[in-house]
Amino acid sequence: MSAETGPEDCLFCKIVSGDIDADVVHETATTVAFRDRNPQAPTHVLVIPRSHYANAADLAVGEPETAAHLFDAARAIAEQEGLGEGYRLVFNTGAAAHQTVFHAHMHVLGGRAMTWPPG
Ligand code: 5GP
Ligand code: ZN
């Protein structure tokens, strides 16, 4: 999948529309959150806007309220997943930063101790 992928052939748009199954753990009018299929921590949830934006920067410009909703969804997910010890929010932005799906998404990672730098 390339950075030029549009909504019509976007994997995460298909999760929003229900055309592709996902283990959805949280939903709002503007966001959907589902478990990552290749989890990197005991809790690894992706929170995405319902609208298609290629990355978090484009989302922040196009729908700043929805960008804020991602953080509130992360707060709710951390609570429901029992991540009181702490959790990590990640936006890989651009291929060099390991973005592989070009529909904006926030990784919510928790349930284990984290290290730094992230690699
Ligand atoms: P990125 O590398 O773009 O920041 O993160 C994309 C994430 O999407 C990866 O962690 C990958 O495991 C996850 N992913 C890719 N395809 C699917 C899918 O079809 N279903 C789910 N649940 N996760 C996916
Ligand atoms: Zn999309």
Side-chain angles (χ1 to χ4, degrees):
M1 203 174 282
S2 78
E4 283 75 44
T5 299
E8 61 291 330
D9 54 0
C10 170
L11 177 65
F12 286 179
C13 282
K14 288 180 180 152
I15 288 177
V16 171
S17 66
D19 291 337
I20 291 179
D21 279 343
D23 184 359
V24 173
V25 298
H26 188 266
E27 282 189 274
T28 71
T30 54
T31 67
V32 179
F34 53 91
R35 295 194 193 281
D36 197 293
R37 73 165 175 200
N38 183 23
Q40 301 302 313
T43 291
H44 187 173
V45 170
L46 301 174
V47 190
I48 69 174
R50 290 184 183 275
S51 311
H52 181 88
Y53 291 93
N55 56 48
D58 285 2
L59 172 67
V61 171
E63 268 182 55
E65 297 86 357
T66 302
H69 295 161
L70 297 184
F71 290 92
D72 193 45
R75 179 201 53 73
I77 291 158
E79 203 172 296
Q80 87 192 22
E81 297 275 318
L83 304 182
E85 296 288 305
Y87 56 94
R88 182 172 288 177
L89 305 179
V90 175
F91 290 95
N92 295 327
T93 303
H98 204 281
Q99 186 177 2
T100 60
V101 177
F102 290 86
H103 178 127
H105 53 281
M106 171 195 275
H107 296 258
V108 181
L109 295 148
R112 65 167 169 83
M114 299 286 163
T115 60
W116 197 264

